[in-house]
Amino acid sequence: MKFKSKAIYTSHIETPLGGITMAATDEGLAGVWFDQQRHWPDTTGWQTRDDHPALVEAGAQLRDYFAGKRDTFDVKLDLSHGTAFQQSVWQALLAIPAGKTMTYGALSANVGNPAAVRAVGAAVGRNPISVIVPCHRVLGADGSLTGYAGGLHRKTALLELESK
């Protein structure tokens, strides 16, 4: 993923599921990736800014989430770095409540294109804001855990955390 913004700020936090790199623009939180996650962005030119307001807030909300103190997020997001189709899928992911799951087919229907299951799956896999934009809540047609860019062990752990 190539970010369109001129200024990208970054910060890193530790979580029970490993390190997380966060990225923000002046518009809001633009990325949350687990260390060694697939689809890692090109970070050339990014500036470390542990005091950036969006990164401070996202870090605090993620820590609360992993501590079981919250199951929703209200940090301002910048999803502008994907295609219009990807953005529509990422917006649809935000509607899946904590503790609930949805199949790729149902998600495809929700974005108005029930035949686009593979394209929806690809967009889910490229979600730049792990955990907060809850791609981990999407399952295969038979309810099985399918691919997760952060690793299936993390997908399992996130779903278990949300089921408590």
Side-chain angles (χ1 to χ4, degrees), residues 41-88:
D42 176 5
T43 60
T44 304
W46 291 17
Q47 305 168 41
T48 299
R49 271 273 312 275
D50 293 329
D51 65 340
H52 188 281
L55 298 174
V56 170
E57 186 60 30
Q61 290 187 25
L62 283 164
R63 284 184 195 92
D64 284 350
Y65 170 84
F66 284 111
K69 297 177 183 175
R70 82 167 35 240
D71 61 9
T72 61
F73 298 90
D74 58 11
V75 65
K76 185 177 178 195
L77 302 178
D78 178 358
L79 295 172
S80 67
H81 305 290
T83 66
F85 179 76
Q86 287 173 324
Q87 289 178 48
S88 72

mmCIF file of all heavy atoms in Angstrom, residues 41-88:
data_model
loop_
_atom_site.group_PDB
_atom_site.id
_atom_site.type_symbol
_atom_site.label_atom_id
_atom_site.label_comp_id
_atom_site.label_asym_id
_atom_site.label_seq_id
_atom_site.Cartn_x
_atom_site.Cartn_y
_atom_site.Cartn_z
ATOM 1 N N PRO A 41 3.233 -1.793 4.680
ATOM 2 C CA PRO A 41 3.368 -0.661 3.758
ATOM 3 C C PRO A 41 4.817 -0.205 3.608
ATOM 4 O O PRO A 41 5.677 -0.535 4.418
ATOM 5 C CB PRO A 41 2.536 0.425 4.447
ATOM 6 C CG PRO A 41 2.681 0.104 5.896
ATOM 7 C CD PRO A 41 2.699 -1.409 5.979
ATOM 8 N N ASP A 42 5.034 0.568 2.576
ATOM 9 C CA ASP A 42 6.338 1.218 2.386
ATOM 10 C C ASP A 42 6.402 2.391 3.363
ATOM 11 O O ASP A 42 5.640 3.348 3.247
ATOM 12 C CB ASP A 42 6.456 1.704 0.944
ATOM 13 C CG ASP A 42 7.745 2.469 0.681
ATOM 14 O OD1 ASP A 42 8.605 2.554 1.595
ATOM 15 O OD2 ASP A 42 7.891 2.999 -0.428
ATOM 16 N N THR A 43 7.289 2.316 4.338
ATOM 17 C CA THR A 43 7.368 3.333 5.384
ATOM 18 C C THR A 43 8.440 4.394 5.119
ATOM 19 O O THR A 43 8.736 5.199 5.997
ATOM 20 C CB THR A 43 7.626 2.671 6.751
ATOM 21 O OG1 THR A 43 8.865 1.962 6.683
ATOM 22 C CG2 THR A 43 6.504 1.715 7.128
ATOM 23 N N THR A 44 8.962 4.398 3.918
ATOM 24 C CA THR A 44 9.987 5.383 3.563
ATOM 25 C C THR A 44 9.452 6.796 3.795
ATOM 26 O O THR A 44 8.374 7.152 3.319
ATOM 27 C CB THR A 44 10.392 5.220 2.087
ATOM 28 O OG1 THR A 44 10.820 3.892 1.868
ATOM 29 C CG2 THR A 44 11.483 6.201 1.701
ATOM 30 N N GLY A 45 10.194 7.575 4.541
ATOM 31 C CA GLY A 45 9.827 8.963 4.782
ATOM 32 C C GLY A 45 8.877 9.176 5.955
ATOM 33 O O GLY A 45 8.547 10.321 6.272
ATOM 34 N N TRP A 46 8.435 8.116 6.594
ATOM 35 C CA TRP A 46 7.547 8.274 7.740
ATOM 36 C C TRP A 46 8.335 8.838 8.917
ATOM 37 O O TRP A 46 9.502 8.521 9.101
ATOM 38 C CB TRP A 46 6.911 6.956 8.119
ATOM 39 C CG TRP A 46 5.916 6.422 7.132
ATOM 40 C CD1 TRP A 46 5.754 6.799 5.836
ATOM 41 C CD2 TRP A 46 4.965 5.395 7.366
ATOM 42 N NE1 TRP A 46 4.759 6.070 5.244
ATOM 43 C CE2 TRP A 46 4.257 5.202 6.170
ATOM 44 C CE3 TRP A 46 4.642 4.617 8.462
ATOM 45 C CZ2 TRP A 46 3.238 4.262 6.047
ATOM 46 C CZ3 TRP A 46 3.630 3.687 8.339
ATOM 47 C CH2 TRP A 46 2.926 3.513 7.151
ATOM 48 N N GLN A 47 7.676 9.648 9.710
ATOM 49 C CA GLN A 47 8.310 10.284 10.862
ATOM 50 C C GLN A 47 7.782 9.686 12.162
ATOM 51 O O GLN A 47 6.562 9.606 12.347
ATOM 52 C CB GLN A 47 7.986 11.776 10.867
ATOM 53 C CG GLN A 47 8.355 12.513 9.601
ATOM 54 C CD GLN A 47 7.733 13.896 9.598
ATOM 55 O OE1 GLN A 47 7.711 14.587 10.602
ATOM 56 N NE2 GLN A 47 7.195 14.293 8.443
ATOM 57 N N THR A 48 8.671 9.270 13.050
ATOM 58 C CA THR A 48 8.244 8.795 14.358
ATOM 59 C C THR A 48 7.744 9.985 15.160
ATOM 60 O O THR A 48 8.432 10.995 15.281
ATOM 61 C CB THR A 48 9.400 8.105 15.106
ATOM 62 O OG1 THR A 48 9.829 6.987 14.329
ATOM 63 C CG2 THR A 48 8.980 7.639 16.485
ATOM 64 N N ARG A 49 6.505 9.865 15.653
ATOM 65 C CA ARG A 49 5.885 10.939 16.440
ATOM 66 C C ARG A 49 5.016 10.310 17.513
ATOM 67 O O ARG A 49 3.803 10.182 17.364
ATOM 68 C CB ARG A 49 4.997 11.819 15.575
ATOM 69 C CG ARG A 49 5.596 12.994 14.884
ATOM 70 C CD ARG A 49 5.665 14.311 15.635
ATOM 71 N NE ARG A 49 4.521 14.827 16.331
ATOM 72 C CZ ARG A 49 3.549 15.552 15.800
ATOM 73 N NH1 ARG A 49 3.512 15.815 14.524
ATOM 74 N NH2 ARG A 49 2.589 16.012 16.565
ATOM 75 N N ASP A 50 5.633 9.877 18.587
ATOM 76 C CA ASP A 50 4.898 9.234 19.673
ATOM 77 C C ASP A 50 3.889 10.168 20.328
ATOM 78 O O ASP A 50 3.002 9.710 21.040
ATOM 79 C CB ASP A 50 5.870 8.695 20.718
ATOM 80 C CG ASP A 50 6.718 7.551 20.175
ATOM 81 O OD1 ASP A 50 6.233 6.796 19.306
ATOM 82 O OD2 ASP A 50 7.871 7.418 20.627
ATOM 83 N N ASP A 51 3.994 11.475 20.079
ATOM 84 C CA ASP A 51 3.085 12.445 20.681
ATOM 85 C C ASP A 51 1.965 12.895 19.735
ATOM 86 O O ASP A 51 1.170 13.761 20.084
ATOM 87 C CB ASP A 51 3.861 13.671 21.178
ATOM 88 C CG ASP A 51 4.517 14.457 20.037
ATOM 89 O OD1 ASP A 51 4.701 13.895 18.933
ATOM 90 O OD2 ASP A 51 4.865 15.631 20.264
ATOM 91 N N HIS A 52 1.879 12.289 18.538
ATOM 92 C CA HIS A 52 0.810 12.681 17.604
ATOM 93 C C HIS A 52 -0.534 12.322 18.241
ATOM 94 O O HIS A 52 -0.725 11.192 18.689
ATOM 95 C CB HIS A 52 0.996 11.962 16.262
ATOM 96 C CG HIS A 52 0.058 12.442 15.207
ATOM 97 N ND1 HIS A 52 -1.259 12.043 15.144
ATOM 98 C CD2 HIS A 52 0.242 13.299 14.179
ATOM 99 C CE1 HIS A 52 -1.843 12.629 14.124
ATOM 100 N NE2 HIS A 52 -0.949 13.403 13.519
ATOM 101 N N PRO A 53 -1.491 13.267 18.288
ATOM 102 C CA PRO A 53 -2.758 13.025 18.992
ATOM 103 C C PRO A 53 -3.498 11.754 18.545
ATOM 104 O O PRO A 53 -4.013 11.012 19.384
ATOM 105 C CB PRO A 53 -3.585 14.277 18.696
ATOM 106 C CG PRO A 53 -2.571 15.332 18.390
ATOM 107 C CD PRO A 53 -1.409 14.626 17.752
ATOM 108 N N ALA A 54 -3.567 11.488 17.251
ATOM 109 C CA ALA A 54 -4.275 10.289 16.779
ATOM 110 C C ALA A 54 -3.557 9.015 17.227
ATOM 111 O O ALA A 54 -4.205 8.017 17.556
ATOM 112 C CB ALA A 54 -4.418 10.308 15.253
ATOM 113 N N LEU A 55 -2.233 9.053 17.276
ATOM 114 C CA LEU A 55 -1.463 7.874 17.678
ATOM 115 C C LEU A 55 -1.551 7.656 19.190
ATOM 116 O O LEU A 55 -1.667 6.513 19.649
ATOM 117 C CB LEU A 55 -0.009 8.012 17.232
ATOM 118 C CG LEU A 55 0.193 8.112 15.723
ATOM 119 C CD1 LEU A 55 1.647 8.403 15.400
ATOM 120 C CD2 LEU A 55 -0.289 6.857 15.018
ATOM 121 N N VAL A 56 -1.522 8.737 19.948
ATOM 122 C CA VAL A 56 -1.674 8.631 21.404
ATOM 123 C C VAL A 56 -3.040 8.041 21.732
ATOM 124 O O VAL A 56 -3.166 7.106 22.537
ATOM 125 C CB VAL A 56 -1.482 10.008 22.083
ATOM 126 C CG1 VAL A 56 -1.875 9.961 23.549
ATOM 127 C CG2 VAL A 56 -0.051 10.490 21.913
ATOM 128 N N GLU A 57 -4.090 8.570 21.098
ATOM 129 C CA GLU A 57 -5.452 8.095 21.371
ATOM 130 C C GLU A 57 -5.644 6.651 20.918
ATOM 131 O O GLU A 57 -6.218 5.835 21.638
ATOM 132 C CB GLU A 57 -6.478 9.013 20.690
ATOM 133 C CG GLU A 57 -7.910 8.671 21.031
ATOM 134 C CD GLU A 57 -8.242 8.750 22.518
ATOM 135 O OE1 GLU A 57 -7.631 9.549 23.248
ATOM 136 O OE2 GLU A 57 -9.133 7.991 22.953
ATOM 137 N N ALA A 58 -5.156 6.317 19.732
ATOM 138 C CA ALA A 58 -5.292 4.940 19.245
ATOM 139 C C ALA A 58 -4.546 3.974 20.156
ATOM 140 O O ALA A 58 -5.058 2.890 20.472
ATOM 141 C CB ALA A 58 -4.770 4.832 17.810
ATOM 142 N N GLY A 59 -3.352 4.341 20.581
ATOM 143 C CA GLY A 59 -2.588 3.486 21.479
ATOM 144 C C GLY A 59 -3.325 3.251 22.790
ATOM 145 O O GLY A 59 -3.393 2.121 23.288
ATOM 146 N N ALA A 60 -3.902 4.302 23.359
ATOM 147 C CA ALA A 60 -4.654 4.176 24.616
ATOM 148 C C ALA A 60 -5.877 3.282 24.423
ATOM 149 O O ALA A 60 -6.168 2.414 25.256
ATOM 150 C CB ALA A 60 -5.076 5.558 25.115
ATOM 151 N N GLN A 61 -6.591 3.465 23.308
ATOM 152 C CA GLN A 61 -7.785 2.656 23.057
ATOM 153 C C GLN A 61 -7.418 1.196 22.794
ATOM 154 O O GLN A 61 -8.122 0.287 23.247
ATOM 155 C CB GLN A 61 -8.595 3.245 21.902
ATOM 156 C CG GLN A 61 -9.260 4.557 22.279
ATOM 157 C CD GLN A 61 -10.197 5.090 21.218
ATOM 158 O OE1 GLN A 61 -10.732 4.350 20.397
ATOM 159 N NE2 GLN A 61 -10.415 6.404 21.240
ATOM 160 N N LEU A 62 -6.329 0.952 22.080
ATOM 161 C CA LEU A 62 -5.896 -0.430 21.853
ATOM 162 C C LEU A 62 -5.479 -1.100 23.166
ATOM 163 O O LEU A 62 -5.818 -2.256 23.414
ATOM 164 C CB LEU A 62 -4.745 -0.470 20.843
ATOM 165 C CG LEU A 62 -5.165 -0.284 19.386
ATOM 166 C CD1 LEU A 62 -3.960 0.059 18.515
ATOM 167 C CD2 LEU A 62 -5.881 -1.524 18.866
ATOM 168 N N ARG A 63 -4.774 -0.386 24.028
ATOM 169 C CA ARG A 63 -4.391 -0.957 25.330
ATOM 170 C C ARG A 63 -5.643 -1.314 26.137
ATOM 171 O O ARG A 63 -5.709 -2.383 26.757
ATOM 172 C CB ARG A 63 -3.504 0.021 26.099
ATOM 173 C CG ARG A 63 -2.083 0.075 25.583
ATOM 174 C CD ARG A 63 -1.210 1.001 26.455
ATOM 175 N NE ARG A 63 0.026 1.316 25.782
ATOM 176 C CZ ARG A 63 0.223 2.383 25.001
ATOM 177 N NH1 ARG A 63 -0.731 3.263 24.809
ATOM 178 N NH2 ARG A 63 1.385 2.573 24.424
ATOM 179 N N ASP A 64 -6.643 -0.424 26.138
ATOM 180 C CA ASP A 64 -7.895 -0.704 26.839
ATOM 181 C C ASP A 64 -8.607 -1.913 26.237
ATOM 182 O O ASP A 64 -9.166 -2.740 26.967
ATOM 183 C CB ASP A 64 -8.828 0.513 26.794
ATOM 184 C CG ASP A 64 -8.419 1.621 27.756
ATOM 185 O OD1 ASP A 64 -7.518 1.396 28.603
ATOM 186 O OD2 ASP A 64 -9.005 2.722 27.653
ATOM 187 N N TYR A 65 -8.607 -2.019 24.926
ATOM 188 C CA TYR A 65 -9.230 -3.157 24.240
ATOM 189 C C TYR A 65 -8.569 -4.464 24.685
ATOM 190 O O TYR A 65 -9.247 -5.421 25.074
ATOM 191 C CB TYR A 65 -9.109 -2.965 22.720
ATOM 192 C CG TYR A 65 -9.485 -4.171 21.898
ATOM 193 C CD1 TYR A 65 -10.814 -4.424 21.566
ATOM 194 C CD2 TYR A 65 -8.513 -5.053 21.430
ATOM 195 C CE1 TYR A 65 -11.162 -5.531 20.807
ATOM 196 C CE2 TYR A 65 -8.856 -6.156 20.675
ATOM 197 C CZ TYR A 65 -10.178 -6.396 20.362
ATOM 198 O OH TYR A 65 -10.511 -7.491 19.609
ATOM 199 N N PHE A 66 -7.251 -4.514 24.636
ATOM 200 C CA PHE A 66 -6.550 -5.738 25.011
ATOM 201 C C PHE A 66 -6.691 -6.055 26.502
ATOM 202 O O PHE A 66 -6.592 -7.208 26.900
ATOM 203 C CB PHE A 66 -5.073 -5.675 24.604
ATOM 204 C CG PHE A 66 -4.872 -5.885 23.134
ATOM 205 C CD1 PHE A 66 -4.458 -4.843 22.320
ATOM 206 C CD2 PHE A 66 -5.099 -7.124 22.549
ATOM 207 C CE1 PHE A 66 -4.279 -5.029 20.958
ATOM 208 C CE2 PHE A 66 -4.920 -7.323 21.188
ATOM 209 C CZ PHE A 66 -4.512 -6.282 20.385
ATOM 210 N N ALA A 67 -6.960 -5.035 27.320
ATOM 211 C CA ALA A 67 -7.177 -5.246 28.753
ATOM 212 C C ALA A 67 -8.634 -5.603 29.055
ATOM 213 O O ALA A 67 -8.996 -5.797 30.212
ATOM 214 C CB ALA A 67 -6.778 -3.992 29.527
ATOM 215 N N GLY A 68 -9.476 -5.692 28.013
ATOM 216 C CA GLY A 68 -10.885 -6.029 28.201
ATOM 217 C C GLY A 68 -11.738 -4.878 28.711
ATOM 218 O O GLY A 68 -12.866 -5.078 29.153
ATOM 219 N N LYS A 69 -11.235 -3.651 28.606
ATOM 220 C CA LYS A 69 -11.946 -2.477 29.112
ATOM 221 C C LYS A 69 -12.792 -1.781 28.055
ATOM 222 O O LYS A 69 -13.530 -0.856 28.372
ATOM 223 C CB LYS A 69 -10.952 -1.464 29.688
ATOM 224 C CG LYS A 69 -10.186 -1.976 30.882
ATOM 225 C CD LYS A 69 -9.181 -0.940 31.348
ATOM 226 C CE LYS A 69 -8.341 -1.455 32.492
ATOM 227 N NZ LYS A 69 -7.282 -0.495 32.861
ATOM 228 N N ARG A 70 -12.653 -2.177 26.798
ATOM 229 C CA ARG A 70 -13.453 -1.574 25.722
ATOM 230 C C ARG A 70 -13.595 -2.580 24.594
ATOM 231 O O ARG A 70 -12.737 -3.436 24.411
ATOM 232 C CB ARG A 70 -12.855 -0.259 25.235
ATOM 233 C CG ARG A 70 -11.735 -0.376 24.245
ATOM 234 C CD ARG A 70 -11.313 0.910 23.506
ATOM 235 N NE ARG A 70 -11.387 2.132 24.239
ATOM 236 C CZ ARG A 70 -12.153 3.176 23.866
ATOM 237 N NH1 ARG A 70 -12.870 3.131 22.770
ATOM 238 N NH2 ARG A 70 -12.164 4.273 24.569
ATOM 239 N N ASP A 71 -14.688 -2.455 23.852
ATOM 240 C CA ASP A 71 -14.851 -3.304 22.670
ATOM 241 C C ASP A 71 -15.203 -2.492 21.427
ATOM 242 O O ASP A 71 -15.448 -3.039 20.364
ATOM 243 C CB ASP A 71 -15.865 -4.430 22.901
ATOM 244 C CG ASP A 71 -17.259 -3.927 23.228
ATOM 245 O OD1 ASP A 71 -17.513 -2.712 23.112
ATOM 246 O OD2 ASP A 71 -18.101 -4.755 23.596
ATOM 247 N N THR A 72 -15.238 -1.168 21.580
ATOM 248 C CA THR A 72 -15.438 -0.280 20.431
ATOM 249 C C THR A 72 -14.347 0.785 20.450
ATOM 250 O O THR A 72 -13.717 1.027 21.474
ATOM 251 C CB THR A 72 -16.820 0.408 20.477
ATOM 252 O OG1 THR A 72 -16.905 1.196 21.661
ATOM 253 C CG2 THR A 72 -17.956 -0.604 20.427
ATOM 254 N N PHE A 73 -14.162 1.401 19.312
ATOM 255 C CA PHE A 73 -13.134 2.432 19.153
ATOM 256 C C PHE A 73 -13.792 3.691 18.611
ATOM 257 O O PHE A 73 -14.738 3.615 17.824
ATOM 258 C CB PHE A 73 -12.046 1.956 18.178
ATOM 259 C CG PHE A 73 -11.319 0.728 18.657
ATOM 260 C CD1 PHE A 73 -11.772 -0.538 18.329
ATOM 261 C CD2 PHE A 73 -10.186 0.845 19.446
ATOM 262 C CE1 PHE A 73 -11.106 -1.671 18.773
ATOM 263 C CE2 PHE A 73 -9.517 -0.281 19.897
ATOM 264 C CZ PHE A 73 -9.972 -1.540 19.560
ATOM 265 N N ASP A 74 -13.265 4.841 19.008
ATOM 266 C CA ASP A 74 -13.819 6.090 18.488
ATOM 267 C C ASP A 74 -12.746 7.058 18.011
ATOM 268 O O ASP A 74 -12.963 8.260 17.947
ATOM 269 C CB ASP A 74 -14.751 6.750 19.505
ATOM 270 C CG ASP A 74 -14.072 7.060 20.826
ATOM 271 O OD1 ASP A 74 -12.826 6.964 20.921
ATOM 272 O OD2 ASP A 74 -14.785 7.403 21.781
ATOM 273 N N VAL A 75 -11.595 6.527 17.667
ATOM 274 C CA VAL A 75 -10.527 7.355 17.118
ATOM 275 C C VAL A 75 -10.890 7.722 15.671
ATOM 276 O O VAL A 75 -11.503 6.922 14.956
ATOM 277 C CB VAL A 75 -9.168 6.629 17.208
ATOM 278 C CG1 VAL A 75 -9.127 5.389 16.343
ATOM 279 C CG2 VAL A 75 -8.013 7.541 16.884
ATOM 280 N N LYS A 76 -10.560 8.939 15.271
ATOM 281 C CA LYS A 76 -10.834 9.389 13.896
ATOM 282 C C LYS A 76 -9.953 8.601 12.926
ATOM 283 O O LYS A 76 -8.754 8.463 13.137
ATOM 284 C CB LYS A 76 -10.574 10.881 13.764
ATOM 285 C CG LYS A 76 -10.951 11.414 12.400
ATOM 286 C CD LYS A 76 -10.754 12.907 12.305
ATOM 287 C CE LYS A 76 -11.110 13.342 10.898
ATOM 288 N NZ LYS A 76 -10.641 14.668 10.605
ATOM 289 N N LEU A 77 -10.562 8.084 11.863
ATOM 290 C CA LEU A 77 -9.851 7.253 10.884
ATOM 291 C C LEU A 77 -9.623 7.993 9.577
ATOM 292 O O LEU A 77 -10.442 8.812 9.157
ATOM 293 C CB LEU A 77 -10.654 5.977 10.596
ATOM 294 C CG LEU A 77 -10.978 5.088 11.791
ATOM 295 C CD1 LEU A 77 -11.818 3.901 11.344
ATOM 296 C CD2 LEU A 77 -9.720 4.634 12.491
ATOM 297 N N ASP A 78 -8.531 7.659 8.924
ATOM 298 C CA ASP A 78 -8.244 8.115 7.564
ATOM 299 C C ASP A 78 -8.109 6.861 6.703
ATOM 300 O O ASP A 78 -7.077 6.214 6.694
ATOM 301 C CB ASP A 78 -6.957 8.935 7.523
ATOM 302 C CG ASP A 78 -6.585 9.392 6.114
ATOM 303 O OD1 ASP A 78 -7.310 9.045 5.152
ATOM 304 O OD2 ASP A 78 -5.561 10.078 5.973
ATOM 305 N N LEU A 79 -9.184 6.512 6.008
ATOM 306 C CA LEU A 79 -9.206 5.325 5.139
ATOM 307 C C LEU A 79 -9.003 5.691 3.674
ATOM 308 O O LEU A 79 -9.253 4.883 2.788
ATOM 309 C CB LEU A 79 -10.539 4.580 5.310
ATOM 310 C CG LEU A 79 -10.792 3.984 6.689
ATOM 311 C CD1 LEU A 79 -12.212 3.454 6.788
ATOM 312 C CD2 LEU A 79 -9.785 2.896 6.997
ATOM 313 N N SER A 80 -8.523 6.878 3.408
ATOM 314 C CA SER A 80 -8.452 7.400 2.036
ATOM 315 C C SER A 80 -7.372 6.756 1.175
ATOM 316 O O SER A 80 -7.293 7.053 -0.011
ATOM 317 C CB SER A 80 -8.218 8.913 2.075
ATOM 318 O OG SER A 80 -6.927 9.208 2.594
ATOM 319 N N HIS A 81 -6.568 5.882 1.729
ATOM 320 C CA HIS A 81 -5.436 5.346 0.984
ATOM 321 C C HIS A 81 -5.769 4.090 0.174
ATOM 322 O O HIS A 81 -4.896 3.555 -0.492
ATOM 323 C CB HIS A 81 -4.267 5.091 1.930
ATOM 324 C CG HIS A 81 -3.914 6.330 2.693
ATOM 325 N ND1 HIS A 81 -3.327 7.427 2.107
ATOM 326 C CD2 HIS A 81 -4.118 6.675 3.976
ATOM 327 C CE1 HIS A 81 -3.174 8.376 3.000
ATOM 328 N NE2 HIS A 81 -3.644 7.946 4.145
ATOM 329 N N GLY A 82 -7.004 3.662 0.218
ATOM 330 C CA GLY A 82 -7.429 2.526 -0.599
ATOM 331 C C GLY A 82 -8.259 2.998 -1.779
ATOM 332 O O GLY A 82 -8.611 4.179 -1.880
ATOM 333 N N THR A 83 -8.590 2.058 -2.650
ATOM 334 C CA THR A 83 -9.488 2.372 -3.767
ATOM 335 C C THR A 83 -10.886 2.625 -3.215
ATOM 336 O O THR A 83 -11.180 2.306 -2.050
ATOM 337 C CB THR A 83 -9.548 1.195 -4.757
ATOM 338 O OG1 THR A 83 -10.171 0.080 -4.095
ATOM 339 C CG2 THR A 83 -8.159 0.808 -5.268
ATOM 340 N N ALA A 84 -11.759 3.150 -4.040
ATOM 341 C CA ALA A 84 -13.145 3.396 -3.612
ATOM 342 C C ALA A 84 -13.796 2.083 -3.166
ATOM 343 O O ALA A 84 -14.509 2.049 -2.154
ATOM 344 C CB ALA A 84 -13.947 4.047 -4.742
ATOM 345 N N PHE A 85 -13.533 0.991 -3.890
ATOM 346 C CA PHE A 85 -14.102 -0.302 -3.511
ATOM 347 C C PHE A 85 -13.542 -0.763 -2.163
ATOM 348 O O PHE A 85 -14.289 -1.193 -1.283
ATOM 349 C CB PHE A 85 -13.816 -1.352 -4.594
ATOM 350 C CG PHE A 85 -14.354 -2.712 -4.246
ATOM 351 C CD1 PHE A 85 -15.707 -2.977 -4.354
ATOM 352 C CD2 PHE A 85 -13.509 -3.716 -3.789
ATOM 353 C CE1 PHE A 85 -16.220 -4.233 -4.018
ATOM 354 C CE2 PHE A 85 -14.001 -4.973 -3.452
ATOM 355 C CZ PHE A 85 -15.360 -5.227 -3.564
ATOM 356 N N GLN A 86 -12.220 -0.682 -1.979
ATOM 357 C CA GLN A 86 -11.624 -1.076 -0.701
ATOM 358 C C GLN A 86 -12.215 -0.253 0.441
ATOM 359 O O GLN A 86 -12.565 -0.800 1.490
ATOM 360 C CB GLN A 86 -10.100 -0.891 -0.738
ATOM 361 C CG GLN A 86 -9.379 -1.925 -1.570
ATOM 362 C CD GLN A 86 -7.901 -1.598 -1.719
ATOM 363 O OE1 GLN A 86 -7.503 -0.438 -1.830
ATOM 364 N NE2 GLN A 86 -7.076 -2.642 -1.736
ATOM 365 N N GLN A 87 -12.344 1.044 0.225
ATOM 366 C CA GLN A 87 -12.896 1.902 1.274
ATOM 367 C C GLN A 87 -14.314 1.484 1.634
ATOM 368 O O GLN A 87 -14.691 1.511 2.817
ATOM 369 C CB GLN A 87 -12.861 3.361 0.837
ATOM 370 C CG GLN A 87 -11.458 3.936 0.786
ATOM 371 C CD GLN A 87 -11.440 5.369 0.316
ATOM 372 O OE1 GLN A 87 -12.211 6.195 0.800
ATOM 373 N NE2 GLN A 87 -10.566 5.676 -0.637
ATOM 374 N N SER A 88 -15.109 1.089 0.644
ATOM 375 C CA SER A 88 -16.485 0.660 0.937
ATOM 376 C C SER A 88 -16.483 -0.623 1.764
ATOM 377 O O SER A 88 -17.302 -0.782 2.674
ATOM 378 C CB SER A 88 -17.296 0.484 -0.348
ATOM 379 O OG SER A 88 -16.885 -0.667 -1.079
#
